[in-house]
């Protein structure tokens, strides 16, 4: 059986220590603001704390998908090692990253017709995507084949639940996730919406709650109601430089559920540009995704 590598992109928001330990190659999105461009490379080029500090001080970032050249060079380095590639990709409903990857894949296939590059759109982002990468790595280490891992992801991805709340609606408004009128009204009334990533891989608000504490409490209620086989899975929490609230969310969840593990990490610039400082997100395997407002 031909060897293969698990590949991803920087929207996965996995801790850089894990990426380095498992030697995972990834494509970098970019983030630009204040006349500077940074690679979204899991905190190496731009620290998450500095990024969210800059947002709090009024910087307005723009993000871009990786170039086709970025993908081509990294794909080629793996193909040159005579390995296949399984690319676990951020949702096409959130980023055009898959388009660049497909261009690069076709360039590789023109040069290396016998190469095998599978691009799997997981229809989520941040640590939801990260959890899928971790599961794929675990399966590969346990002897699962290229095809078995792809089949598992395609079968299970609609069960990857992604729920989040934000502290400042202006960032969602800038990114087109909320209308201007809804954002202004929400700011005036201290509304903290709960959002999800639906079955099409797009962000949608599902619940309106008043106040930060209530929104965090609602995240706990959601996971308790929707998670399946919690004792056998890792859940993940990402945050926009609000570690105390992330830890409080973890503690509240562990009071209600027994889970295998909880990982916490910063939201990276590609996702954090839209969520803003204080964004808090929760990812777990559970019931099929929601596609409607509660």
């Amino acid at each position: 059986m031909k060897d293969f590598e698990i590949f991803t992109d920087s929207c996965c928001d996995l801790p850089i220590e894990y990426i380095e330990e498992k030697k995972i190659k990834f494509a970098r999105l970019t983030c630009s603001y204040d006349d500077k461009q940074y690679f979204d490379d899991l905190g190496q080029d731009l620290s998450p704390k500095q990024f969210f500090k800059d947002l709090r001080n009024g910087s307005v970032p723009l993000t871009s998908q990786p170039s086709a050249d970025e993908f081509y060079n990294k794909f080629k380095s793996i193909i040159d090692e005579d390995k296949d590639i399984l690319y676990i990709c951020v949702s096409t409903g959130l980023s055009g990253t898959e388009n660049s990857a497909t261009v690069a894949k076709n360039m590789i296939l023109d040069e290396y017709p016998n190469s095998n590059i599978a691009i799997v759109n997981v229809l989520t982002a941040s640590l939801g995507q990260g959890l899928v990468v971790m599961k794929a790595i675990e399966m590969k280490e346990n002897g699962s084949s290229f095809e078995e891992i792809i089949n598992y992801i395609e079968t299970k991805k609609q069960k990857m639940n992604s729920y989040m709340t934000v502290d400042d609606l202006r960032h969602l408004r800038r990114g087109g996730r909320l209308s201007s009128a809804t954002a202004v009204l929400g700011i005036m009334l201290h509304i903290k919406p709960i959002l999800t990533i639906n079955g099409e891989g797009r962000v949608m608000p599902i619940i309106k709650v008043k106040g930060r504490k209530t929104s965090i409490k609602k995240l706990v209620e959601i996971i308790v109601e929707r998670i399946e086989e919690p004792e056998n899975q890792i859940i993940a929490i990402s945050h926009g430089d609000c570690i105390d609230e992330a830890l409080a969310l973890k503690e509240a969840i562990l009071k209600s559920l027994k889970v295998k593990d909880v990982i916490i990490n910063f939201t990276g610039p590609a996702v954090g540009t839209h969520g803003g400082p204080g964004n808090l997100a929760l990812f777990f395997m559970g019931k099929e995704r929601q596609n409607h407002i509660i």
Side-chain angles (χ1 to χ4, degrees), residues 1-21:
M1 184 173 65
K2 191 173 181 181
D3 196 9
F4 62 95
E5 281 201 26
I6 307 295
F7 187 92
T8 192
D9 56 68
S10 59
C11 285
C12 70
D13 288 344
L14 283 166
I16 189 63
E17 295 81 9
Y18 177 85
I19 292 288
E20 291 175 345
E21 176 192 348

Side-chain angles (χ1 to χ4, degrees), residues 227-270:
I227 197 169
E228 295 178 344
E229 300 183 10
E231 66 280 0
N232 295 325
Q233 65 168 292
I234 298 169
I235 66 172
I237 298 169
S238 65
H239 68 94
D241 196 26
C242 54
I243 185 61
D244 290 343
E245 289 175 317
L247 290 169
L249 176 59
K250 173 184 176 180
E251 182 180 356
I253 290 170
L254 292 179
K255 285 181 179 179
S256 302
L257 296 169
K258 182 178 180 181
V259 299
K260 184 177 179 181
D261 197 8
V262 180
I263 62 170
I264 298 176
N265 200 33
F266 281 99
T267 309

Side-chain angles (χ1 to χ4, degrees), residues 4 6-7 86-89 118-124 128-129 131-137 139 145-160 285 289:
F4 62 95
I6 307 295
F7 187 92
L86 198 175
Y87 170 32
I88 297 173
C89 176
I119 301 175
V120 182
N121 171 16
V122 291
L123 298 172
T124 188
Q129 178 182 347
L131 287 177
V132 178
V133 173
M134 292 177 68
K135 181 63 177 179
I137 292 291
M139 291 179 69
S145 69
F146 189 84
E147 292 76 16
E148 285 170 340
I149 297 173
I150 293 174
N151 183 63
Y152 175 87
I153 296 172
E154 292 290 0
T155 301
K156 297 290 188 179
K157 67 184 181 183
Q158 287 293 344
K159 287 182 169 288
M160 176 52 69
M285 294 294 288
R289 299 192 198 192

Side-chain angles (χ1 to χ4, degrees), residues 37-236:
Q37 184 181 79
Y38 303 92
F39 282 115
D40 178 9
D41 57 0
L42 307 179
Q44 298 173 95
D45 192 29
L46 174 64
S47 77
K49 288 192 73 68
Q50 184 63 52
F51 172 71
F52 287 111
K53 179 182 178 181
D54 292 341
L55 262 63
R56 289 187 175 105
N57 289 334
S59 295
V60 180
L62 296 173
T63 59
S64 298
Q65 66 203 52
S67 67
D69 283 344
E70 167 91 355
F71 278 106
Y72 173 84
N73 292 330
K74 291 187 173 177
F75 284 172
K76 187 175 184 301
S77 71
I78 298 171
I79 296 298
D80 285 344
E81 295 175 3
D82 196 29
K83 295 179 181 178
D84 292 336
I85 300 169
L86 198 175
Y87 170 32
I88 297 173
C89 176
V90 63
S91 173
T92 51
L94 302 173
S95 171
T97 295
E98 185 180 357
N99 292 333
S100 295
T102 301
V103 171
K105 172 182 175 178
N106 291 333
M107 292 167 65
I108 293 288
L109 290 175
D110 285 343
E111 295 181 46
Y112 305 88
N114 295 324
S115 62
N116 185 14
I117 302 173
I119 301 175
V120 182
N121 171 16
V122 291
L123 298 172
T124 188
S126 192
L127 283 174
Q129 178 182 347
L131 287 177
V132 178
V133 173
M134 292 177 68
K135 181 63 177 179
I137 292 291
E138 178 189 357
M139 291 179 69
K140 182 177 186 292
E141 290 176 343
N142 289 334
S144 294
S145 69
F146 189 84
E147 292 76 16
E148 285 170 340
I149 297 173
I150 293 174
N151 183 63
Y152 175 87
I153 296 172
E154 292 290 0
T155 301
K156 297 290 188 179
K157 67 184 181 183
Q158 287 293 344
K159 287 182 169 288
M160 176 52 69
N161 284 236
S162 308
Y163 289 90
M164 64 220 75
T165 188
V166 299
D167 200 36
D168 187 341
L169 298 180
R170 288 174 295 183
H171 301 280
L172 287 175
R173 181 191 64 194
R174 288 193 197 108
R177 304 300 194 256
L178 285 181
S179 70
S180 294
T182 300
V184 170
L185 184 61
I187 291 167
M188 291 174 59
L189 298 178
H190 303 288
I191 298 298
K192 307 295 182 184
I194 303 295
L195 306 104
T196 192
I197 299 179
N198 66 15
E200 297 177 348
R202 300 180 185 279
V203 173
M204 61 176 287
I206 55 167
I207 311 172
K208 295 178 181 178
V209 296
K210 193 168 184 178
R212 181 71 164 179
K213 289 183 179 179
T214 305
S215 68
I216 294 174
K217 180 181 177 183
K218 180 58 68 173
L219 289 176
V220 178
E221 293 174 0
I222 287 171
I223 189 173
V224 169
E225 193 274 326
R226 294 187 59 80
I227 197 169
E228 295 178 344
E229 300 183 10
E231 66 280 0
N232 295 325
Q233 65 168 292
I234 298 169
I235 66 172

